[in-house]
């Protein structure tokens, strides 16, 4: 494979047709995958300006700051962008459970080959 190393040093996110990029959110201290959400340019700007994770809700068609109703905010430690600049990784310090179900992570079930689900320990 003869591909040149990427030397782009400017943040220029590539938004999908809806104006969104996927945001993967992990606990900066443990590496635990907490949630996946979407961000538009305003959510990115607000997150970088305030240090608190903001997202775009596709279902409500509205901006939201994680924790604005639950108190379980996500304080940004670091934002990374992938090689194509079409996905973000937010490393955060959570103030409580990240999932709206009250679980630490939104990824608390494993999909089995038979289509069933296995509930994992909350710290898995």
């Amino acid at each position: 494979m003869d591909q040149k190393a990427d030397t782009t040093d400017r943040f220029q996110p590539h938004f999908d047709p809806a104006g969104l990029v996927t945001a993967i959110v992990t606990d900066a201290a443990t590496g635990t995958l907490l949630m996946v959400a979407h961000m538009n340019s305003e959510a990115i700007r607000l997150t970088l300006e305030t240090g608190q994770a903001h997202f775009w809700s596709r279902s409500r068609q509205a901006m939201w700051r994680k924790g604005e109703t639950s108190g379980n905010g996500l304080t940004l430690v670091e934002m990374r962008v992938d090689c194509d600049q079409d996905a973000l990784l937010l490393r955060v310090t959570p103030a409580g459970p990240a999932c709206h179900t009250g679980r630490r992570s939104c990824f608390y079930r494993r999909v089995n080959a038979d289509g069933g689900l296995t509930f994992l320990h909350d710290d898995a």
Side-chain angles (χ1 to χ4, degrees):
M1 197 174 258
D2 187 27
Q3 293 186 359
K4 293 183 179 181
D6 178 21
T7 58
T8 304
D9 65 353
R10 300 299 307 160
F11 181 46
Q12 299 171 325
H14 294 166
F15 298 100
D16 70 11
L20 303 173
V21 294
T22 301
I24 302 159
V25 183
T26 63
D27 185 317
T30 66
T32 300
L33 174 60
L34 299 176
M35 59 182 282
V36 174
H38 296 88
M39 300 177 87
N40 61 12
S41 59
E42 184 181 5
I44 293 170
R45 179 185 60 78
L46 287 169
T47 298
L48 292 172
E49 284 179 6
T50 67
Q52 293 297 307
H54 289 72
F55 302 101
W56 178 257
S57 170
R58 295 183 301 171
S59 60
R60 294 187 310 260
Q61 292 292 295
M63 184 71 54
W64 59 286
R65 179 182 55 80
K66 180 66 176 154
E68 64 190 338
T69 57
S70 68
N72 297 328
L74 302 172
T75 301
L76 183 67
V77 173
E78 175 182 52
M79 182 184 291
R80 296 184 185 186
V81 65
D82 77 335
C83 56
D84 296 321
Q85 294 205 40
D86 62 359
L88 301 174
L89 170 62
L90 277 62
R91 297 181 62 240
V92 302
T93 301
C99 185
H100 73 280
T101 65
R103 291 176 173 88
R104 178 177 173 208
S105 167
C106 294
F107 295 88
Y108 55 87
R109 297 173 290 191
R110 178 179 32 244
V111 178
N112 302 320
D114 66 1
L117 297 174
T118 299
F119 284 76
L120 305 172
H121 295 291
D122 200 31
D123 58 355

